[in-house]
């Protein structure tokens, strides 16, 4: 059985490009637990807080119950099983019933056996889930919160069979913005090479965001991370928005984040396309943590 393909094909609810990474986040959490504890069952009551935090930080802006993936991942054959303390099947996705019934989830025995036989499989599956559902700037933070160690794994790009990333995207975006952060104008270089600057996707690559400058922004590493976490966003008038849910009391937070609110985004060089409105609209619905500050 090709477990990489099986995990890459996990069924996700989708409509109009909406993000629903609930099952992938549960699988990443379960893989992290496997690394620490083996194939022991995972009590919903023990996992609920961790899953809720993963969904809050890395799921879509709308609220999501941790009971949803805990119950529904069992519908993907051969990955996850759920039963109750008295041996019955899953009581459903409602959090109260999962708690009261002593529900427990565990990796399917076939998958657990494959993980035990191949010490690199955990990390390979994690790379596939991360690449298929999240921007690279978030991968390390997700692994940290899930308790997952993927160091030493094979490169994820060779493992996920799908559309390849286009190598020229990074350089084209940085050149379009003249190697300058479109939000704060940072433009650092070291020995002739730009440092601390990224080519950020507006619509995430994992959700059909194209590798072309019309879907890219040159951002410094800080603002790239905040853009992917939904702290920062864009309006159709090309101004920067800051989430009202972001709190920063120190002068650095005020100067580097809060002061961006309402500021015009730097435009690319003359003759080159700026970010397409449809990608801005997707980011506003699926990533930005509304409401915006006034």
């Amino acid at each position: 059985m090709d477990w990489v393909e099986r995990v890459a094909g996990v069924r996700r609810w989708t409509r109009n490009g909406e993000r629903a990474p609930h099952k992938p986040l549960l699988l990443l959490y379960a893989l992290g637990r496997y690394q620490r504890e083996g194939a022991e069952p995972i009590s919903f009551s023990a996992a609920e807080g961790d899953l809720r935090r993963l969904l809050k930080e890395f799921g879509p802006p709308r609220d999501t119950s941790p009971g949803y993936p805990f119950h529904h991942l069992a519908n993907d054959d051969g990955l996850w099983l759920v039963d109750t303390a008295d041996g019955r099947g899953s009581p459903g996705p409602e959090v109260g019933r999962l708690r009261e019934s002593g529900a427990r989830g565990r990796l399917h025995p076939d998958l657990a056996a494959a993980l035990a036989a191949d010490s690199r499989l955990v990390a390979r599956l994690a790379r596939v889930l991360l690449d298929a559902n999240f921007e690279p700037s978030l991968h390390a933070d997700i692994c940290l919160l899930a308790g997952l160690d993927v160091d030493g794994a094979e490169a994820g790009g060779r493992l996920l069979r799908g559309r390849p990333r286009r190598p020229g995207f990074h350089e084209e975006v940085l050149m379009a913005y003249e190697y300058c952060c479109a939000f704060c104008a940072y433009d650092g270089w070291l020995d002739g090479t730009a440092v601390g600057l990224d080519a950020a996707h507006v619509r995430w690559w994992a959700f059909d965001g194209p590798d072309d400058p019309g879907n890219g922004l040159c951002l410094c590493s800080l603002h790239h991370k905040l853009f992917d976490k939904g702290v920062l966003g864009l309006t159709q008038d090309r101004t920067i928005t800051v989430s009202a849910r972001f709190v920063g009391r120190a002068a650095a937070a005020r100067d580097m984040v809060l002061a961006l609110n309402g500021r015009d985004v730097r435009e690319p060089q003359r003759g080159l396309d700026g970010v397409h409105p449809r990608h801005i609209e997707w980011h506003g619905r699926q990533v930005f943590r509304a409401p915006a500050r006034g």
Side-chain angles (χ1 to χ4, degrees):
M1 182 179 297
D2 190 332
W3 287 105
V4 170
E5 288 193 356
R6 175 70 69 88
V7 166
V10 65
R11 292 191 293 273
R12 297 176 302 179
W13 181 87
T14 181
R15 183 181 65 193
N16 298 326
E18 292 192 29
R19 292 200 303 128
H22 315 82
K23 292 179 183 179
L25 284 170
L26 173 57
L27 270 175
L28 288 165
Y29 176 76
L31 290 172
R33 289 284 294 260
Y34 176 85
Q35 284 186 318
R36 301 191 303 277
E37 303 172 12
E40 292 296 314
I42 302 170
S43 161
F44 176 77
S45 294
E48 180 183 355
D50 293 333
L51 291 175
R52 195 177 295 278
R53 185 175 175 193
L54 279 164
L55 289 165
K56 182 176 181 179
E57 290 201 27
F58 303 107
R62 62 186 181 278
D63 289 335
T64 305
S65 166
Y68 176 88
F70 201 90
H71 166 75
H72 286 291
L73 182 58
N75 294 330
D76 290 78
D77 293 338
L79 295 179
W80 181 251
L81 299 174
V82 178
D83 61 12
T84 61
D86 58 6
R88 292 175 296 162
S90 173
E94 204 276 319
V95 167
R97 294 176 63 189
L98 287 165
R99 289 191 201 122
E100 294 164 5
S101 65
R104 304 166 301 182
R106 65 184 186 277
L107 295 174
H108 192 284
D110 291 344
L111 175 53
L115 294 171
D118 182 353
S119 62
R120 297 184 300 171
L121 185 56
V122 167
R124 292 172 64 206
L125 298 182
R127 293 289 189 192
V128 167
L129 289 164
L130 290 167
D131 284 346
N133 294 280
F134 305 98
E135 282 294 277
S137 70
L138 303 179
H139 290 184
D141 290 344
I142 293 170
C143 288
L144 183 64
L145 192 53
L148 187 56
D149 180 8
V150 297
D151 288 346
E154 296 179 42
R158 292 195 293 111
L159 298 171
L160 181 60
R161 296 184 184 129
R163 62 191 185 97
R165 292 181 183 266
R166 192 166 63 81
F169 173 73
H170 179 270
E171 185 62 25
E172 289 176 6
V173 171
L174 265 61
M175 181 184 67
Y177 288 87
E178 299 181 284
Y179 301 90
C180 184
C181 176
F183 285 3
C184 71
Y186 167 82
D187 62 352
W189 289 69
L190 176 68
D191 294 335
T193 302
V195 291
L197 289 171
D198 303 330
H201 286 82
V202 178
R203 183 183 181 120
W204 292 2
W205 182 88
F207 289 85
D208 300 320
D211 280 334
D212 66 59
N215 185 40
L217 284 170
C218 177
L219 296 178
C220 69
S221 298
L222 171 65
H223 291 137
H224 185 185
K225 173 67 71 68
L226 297 181
F227 188 63
D228 286 347
K229 286 295 292 282
V231 172
L232 300 175
L234 292 176
T235 71
Q236 293 292 354
D237 294 329
R238 304 298 198 280
T239 61
I240 303 167
T241 56
V242 178
S243 172
R245 295 156 69 175
F246 173 79
V247 177
R249 300 182 179 88
R254 293 196 301 270
D255 295 344
M256 300 171 71
V257 182
L258 298 175
L260 296 177
N261 195 47
R263 183 182 296 180
D264 289 338
V265 175
R266 180 185 178 92
E267 293 293 330
Q269 294 187 45
R270 185 184 300 275
L272 298 179
D273 293 334
V275 180
H276 195 284
R278 69 174 179 273
H279 302 319
I280 295 175
E281 189 272 337
W282 182 90
H283 185 276
R285 283 191 297 110
Q286 295 301 317
V287 181
F288 183 68
R289 301 284 171 162
R293 288 175 176 266

